Amino acid sequence: MAKRTGPKLLRFDRNLGARLVAGADEAGRGPLAGPLVVAGVLLDYDGLRDHRVRPLALLNDSKQVDPATRDELYRAVLACAERISVHVYPPGVIDRDGLHRCNLAGLRAALWACQPADVCLVDGFKLGPSAPPHRAVVDGDTKSAAIAAASIVAKVTRDRLMRRLDALYPAYGFAQHVGYITPGHSAVVRARGPSAVHRLSFQALCYEGEEAVA
């Protein structure tokens, strides 16, 4: 049974003493295929009470909850957030600009899209002076409700995109592993070559001697 972690995460944000708290997080840094998705969520703690906050009881880092709970939390976040932003970086852009650069750009864009905010929080990374004033929170998706909410939005959005890509490239099994490296995924890439949505800049043994296929 999922733990009621939401109250602790919400308390972390409320203890900041701010009304409008923005959080940003990403999904898809590690996969071999598919996009990087970065999300921002703005929560208004003056209005986030009673019936509006109860659906967030199980809120947590997206990796800590099962898919069914993630879907429920995704709907809850959409219903209660003051503002949400989503930024998608396709594999070609990741290959051209680099994963970390795309990630930082996405986190900055997500926080800017959630303005005005009294406090901006991001999971782990300092984003430099071109971002809004912000705090980097280590393991923030397990501490802050705003960051965890962004984690949920990013993960659910990316998983849905990967299921659509599975329909376009059914041989690769994207619906099951959502682009991460598994023995089965690597075996298909070795046999067929990478698809047009694989990240060719990644160093992967299954890429050796292969070129992308349409």
Side-chain angles (χ1 to χ4, degrees):
M1 184 175 180
K3 296 180 180 179
R4 291 174 56 85
T5 47
K8 180 184 73 171
L9 274 63
L10 290 157
R11 189 160 53 248
F12 178 94
D13 287 6
R14 291 188 191 279
N15 286 342
L16 298 172
R19 172 183 173 180
L20 297 171
V21 179
D25 199 9
E26 82 286 322
R29 280 180 58 86
L32 190 64
L36 174 74
V37 177
V38 187
V41 172
L42 180 67
L43 299 177
D44 181 350
Y45 278 95
D46 274 5
L48 201 57
R49 302 182 185 280
D50 302 324
H51 70 282
R52 294 197 68 198
V53 77
R54 278 194 288 272
L56 299 179
L58 301 180
L59 184 61
N60 203 352
D61 168 22
S62 63
K63 298 183 292 294
Q64 302 296 321
V65 294
D66 61 77
T69 303
R70 276 201 300 267
D71 284 341
E72 291 179 11
L73 287 168
Y74 176 83
R75 291 190 291 271
V77 170
L78 263 60
C80 74
E82 188 71 14
R83 190 166 297 167
I84 291 173
S85 68
V86 176
H87 307 264
V88 179
Y89 293 81
V93 174
I94 294 171
D95 288 341
R96 184 192 69 202
D97 296 343
L99 176 69
H100 189 58
R101 184 176 176 184
C102 290
N103 192 27
L104 295 182
L107 292 167
R108 292 186 196 103
L111 290 181
W112 278 120
C114 287
Q115 299 305 305
D118 300 316
V119 174
C120 291
L121 305 174
V122 63
D123 184 28
F125 298 104
K126 291 293 289 183
L127 304 179
S130 60
H134 61 284
R135 305 181 190 183
V137 182
V138 177
D139 296 326
D141 44 13
T142 64
K143 296 176 181 176
S144 159
I147 296 177
S151 170
I152 293 290
V153 171
K155 174 64 174 169
V156 172
T157 299
R158 187 179 187 280
D159 284 358
R160 291 179 178 180
L161 289 172
M162 292 308 296
R163 286 195 288 272
R164 293 182 183 180
L165 290 175
D166 183 71
L168 294 174
Y169 305 96
Y172 292 90
F174 292 146
Q176 286 72 49
H177 53 65
V178 296
Y180 285 87
I181 296 177
T182 66
H185 185 188
S186 296
V188 174
V189 173
R190 288 192 191 97
R192 301 177 64 96
S195 74
V197 295
H198 278 83
R199 303 174 184 179
L200 301 182
S201 57
F202 279 31
Q203 300 299 313
L205 293 176
C206 59
Y207 282 170
E208 291 183 359
E210 298 290 351
E211 295 181 355
V213 298

PDB file of all heavy atoms in Angstrom, residues 1-5 57-60 64-66 69 73:
ATOM      1  N   MET A   1       0.845  -1.199   0.000  1.00  0.00           N
ATOM      2  CA  MET A   1       0.000   0.000   0.000  1.00  0.00           C
ATOM      3  C   MET A   1       0.883   1.253   0.000  1.00  0.00           C
ATOM      4  O   MET A   1       1.877   1.311   0.734  1.00  0.00           O
ATOM      5  CB  MET A   1      -0.914   0.002   1.231  1.00  0.00           C
ATOM      6  CG  MET A   1      -1.902   1.159   1.259  1.00  0.00           C
ATOM      7  SD  MET A   1      -3.037   1.005   2.666  1.00  0.00           S
ATOM      8  CE  MET A   1      -4.009   2.478   2.411  1.00  0.00           C
ATOM      9  N   ALA A   2       0.545   2.217  -0.832  1.00  0.00           N
ATOM     10  CA  ALA A   2       1.339   3.435  -0.936  1.00  0.00           C
ATOM     11  C   ALA A   2       1.303   4.229   0.365  1.00  0.00           C
ATOM     12  O   ALA A   2       0.288   4.266   1.056  1.00  0.00           O
ATOM     13  CB  ALA A   2       0.822   4.295  -2.091  1.00  0.00           C
ATOM     14  N   LYS A   3       2.428   4.855   0.702  1.00  0.00           N
ATOM     15  CA  LYS A   3       2.530   5.623   1.933  1.00  0.00           C
ATOM     16  C   LYS A   3       1.948   7.021   1.737  1.00  0.00           C
ATOM     17  O   LYS A   3       2.040   7.605   0.656  1.00  0.00           O
ATOM     18  CB  LYS A   3       3.992   5.720   2.360  1.00  0.00           C
ATOM     19  CG  LYS A   3       4.631   4.387   2.714  1.00  0.00           C
ATOM     20  CD  LYS A   3       6.077   4.582   3.136  1.00  0.00           C
ATOM     21  CE  LYS A   3       6.727   3.255   3.494  1.00  0.00           C
ATOM     22  NZ  LYS A   3       8.145   3.430   3.887  1.00  0.00           N
ATOM     23  N   ARG A   4       1.381   7.549   2.813  1.00  0.00           N
ATOM     24  CA  ARG A   4       0.829   8.905   2.786  1.00  0.00           C
ATOM     25  C   ARG A   4       1.964   9.911   3.025  1.00  0.00           C
ATOM     26  O   ARG A   4       2.099  10.489   4.096  1.00  0.00           O
ATOM     27  CB  ARG A   4      -0.269   9.048   3.836  1.00  0.00           C
ATOM     28  CG  ARG A   4      -1.524   8.255   3.511  1.00  0.00           C
ATOM     29  CD  ARG A   4      -2.524   8.327   4.670  1.00  0.00           C
ATOM     30  NE  ARG A   4      -2.846   9.705   5.013  1.00  0.00           N
ATOM     31  CZ  ARG A   4      -3.790  10.437   4.415  1.00  0.00           C
ATOM     32  NH1 ARG A   4      -4.505   9.915   3.427  1.00  0.00           N
ATOM     33  NH2 ARG A   4      -4.036  11.671   4.802  1.00  0.00           N
ATOM     34  N   THR A   5       2.782  10.069   1.983  1.00  0.00           N
ATOM     35  CA  THR A   5       3.940  10.956   2.072  1.00  0.00           C
ATOM     36  C   THR A   5       3.591  12.411   1.766  1.00  0.00           C
ATOM     37  O   THR A   5       4.373  13.312   2.068  1.00  0.00           O
ATOM     38  CB  THR A   5       5.029  10.491   1.094  1.00  0.00           C
ATOM     39  OG1 THR A   5       4.410  10.242  -0.180  1.00  0.00           O
ATOM     40  CG2 THR A   5       5.681   9.202   1.568  1.00  0.00           C
ATOM     41  N   ALA A  57      -2.512  13.241  -0.980  1.00  0.00           N
ATOM     42  CA  ALA A  57      -2.039  12.506   0.200  1.00  0.00           C
ATOM     43  C   ALA A  57      -0.901  11.553  -0.125  1.00  0.00           C
ATOM     44  O   ALA A  57      -0.003  11.336   0.697  1.00  0.00           O
ATOM     45  CB  ALA A  57      -3.196  11.744   0.845  1.00  0.00           C
ATOM     46  N   LEU A  58      -0.898  10.964  -1.317  1.00  0.00           N
ATOM     47  CA  LEU A  58       0.123   9.987  -1.690  1.00  0.00           C
ATOM     48  C   LEU A  58       1.249  10.602  -2.529  1.00  0.00           C
ATOM     49  O   LEU A  58       2.081   9.880  -3.072  1.00  0.00           O
ATOM     50  CB  LEU A  58      -0.513   8.826  -2.464  1.00  0.00           C
ATOM     51  CG  LEU A  58      -1.602   8.048  -1.737  1.00  0.00           C
ATOM     52  CD1 LEU A  58      -2.148   6.929  -2.621  1.00  0.00           C
ATOM     53  CD2 LEU A  58      -1.091   7.486  -0.416  1.00  0.00           C
ATOM     54  N   LEU A  59       1.284  11.929  -2.608  1.00  0.00           N
ATOM     55  CA  LEU A  59       2.281  12.601  -3.442  1.00  0.00           C
ATOM     56  C   LEU A  59       3.695  12.207  -3.021  1.00  0.00           C
ATOM     57  O   LEU A  59       4.028  12.195  -1.830  1.00  0.00           O
ATOM     58  CB  LEU A  59       2.114  14.112  -3.344  1.00  0.00           C
ATOM     59  CG  LEU A  59       3.029  14.971  -4.231  1.00  0.00           C
ATOM     60  CD1 LEU A  59       2.799  14.684  -5.703  1.00  0.00           C
ATOM     61  CD2 LEU A  59       2.798  16.453  -3.929  1.00  0.00           C
ATOM     62  N   ASN A  60       4.519  11.895  -4.009  1.00  0.00           N
ATOM     63  CA  ASN A  60       5.901  11.508  -3.761  1.00  0.00           C
ATOM     64  C   ASN A  60       6.668  11.607  -5.082  1.00  0.00           C
ATOM     65  O   ASN A  60       6.071  11.847  -6.137  1.00  0.00           O
ATOM     66  CB  ASN A  60       5.964  10.078  -3.204  1.00  0.00           C
ATOM     67  CG  ASN A  60       7.243   9.804  -2.423  1.00  0.00           C
ATOM     68  OD1 ASN A  60       8.166  10.618  -2.405  1.00  0.00           O
ATOM     69  ND2 ASN A  60       7.308   8.650  -1.766  1.00  0.00           N
ATOM     70  N   GLN A  64       8.811   6.581  -6.878  1.00  0.00           N
ATOM     71  CA  GLN A  64       8.455   5.885  -5.644  1.00  0.00           C
ATOM     72  C   GLN A  64       7.000   5.409  -5.608  1.00  0.00           C
ATOM     73  O   GLN A  64       6.584   4.806  -4.609  1.00  0.00           O
ATOM     74  CB  GLN A  64       8.700   6.809  -4.437  1.00  0.00           C
ATOM     75  CG  GLN A  64      10.121   7.306  -4.321  1.00  0.00           C
ATOM     76  CD  GLN A  64      11.112   6.189  -4.087  1.00  0.00           C
ATOM     77  OE1 GLN A  64      10.844   5.257  -3.348  1.00  0.00           O
ATOM     78  NE2 GLN A  64      12.268   6.281  -4.737  1.00  0.00           N
ATOM     79  N   VAL A  65       6.246   5.669  -6.665  1.00  0.00           N
ATOM     80  CA  VAL A  65       4.833   5.259  -6.686  1.00  0.00           C
ATOM     81  C   VAL A  65       4.567   4.431  -7.937  1.00  0.00           C
ATOM     82  O   VAL A  65       5.259   4.567  -8.949  1.00  0.00           O
ATOM     83  CB  VAL A  65       3.883   6.471  -6.628  1.00  0.00           C
ATOM     84  CG1 VAL A  65       3.999   7.192  -5.291  1.00  0.00           C
ATOM     85  CG2 VAL A  65       4.164   7.454  -7.762  1.00  0.00           C
ATOM     86  N   ASP A  66       3.578   3.569  -7.858  1.00  0.00           N
ATOM     87  CA  ASP A  66       3.261   2.690  -8.982  1.00  0.00           C
ATOM     88  C   ASP A  66       2.526   3.462 -10.074  1.00  0.00           C
ATOM     89  O   ASP A  66       2.018   4.570  -9.836  1.00  0.00           O
ATOM     90  CB  ASP A  66       2.420   1.502  -8.505  1.00  0.00           C
ATOM     91  CG  ASP A  66       1.105   1.937  -7.897  1.00  0.00           C
ATOM     92  OD1 ASP A  66       0.175   2.285  -8.657  1.00  0.00           O
ATOM     93  OD2 ASP A  66       0.994   1.948  -6.653  1.00  0.00           O
ATOM     94  N   THR A  69      -1.026   4.841  -9.275  1.00  0.00           N
ATOM     95  CA  THR A  69      -0.986   5.971  -8.346  1.00  0.00           C
ATOM     96  C   THR A  69      -0.451   7.211  -9.034  1.00  0.00           C
ATOM     97  O   THR A  69      -0.938   8.326  -8.802  1.00  0.00           O
ATOM     98  CB  THR A  69      -0.123   5.629  -7.123  1.00  0.00           C
ATOM     99  OG1 THR A  69      -0.649   4.455  -6.489  1.00  0.00           O
ATOM    100  CG2 THR A  69      -0.115   6.774  -6.122  1.00  0.00           C
ATOM    101  N   LEU A  73      -2.287  10.792  -9.193  1.00  0.00           N
ATOM    102  CA  LEU A  73      -1.621  12.010  -8.744  1.00  0.00           C
ATOM    103  C   LEU A  73      -1.501  13.026  -9.875  1.00  0.00           C
ATOM    104  O   LEU A  73      -1.619  14.243  -9.640  1.00  0.00           O
ATOM    105  CB  LEU A  73      -0.231  11.667  -8.193  1.00  0.00           C
ATOM    106  CG  LEU A  73      -0.227  10.961  -6.834  1.00  0.00           C
ATOM    107  CD1 LEU A  73       1.159  10.416  -6.517  1.00  0.00           C
ATOM    108  CD2 LEU A  73      -0.690  11.912  -5.732  1.00  0.00           C
TER     109      LEU A  73
END
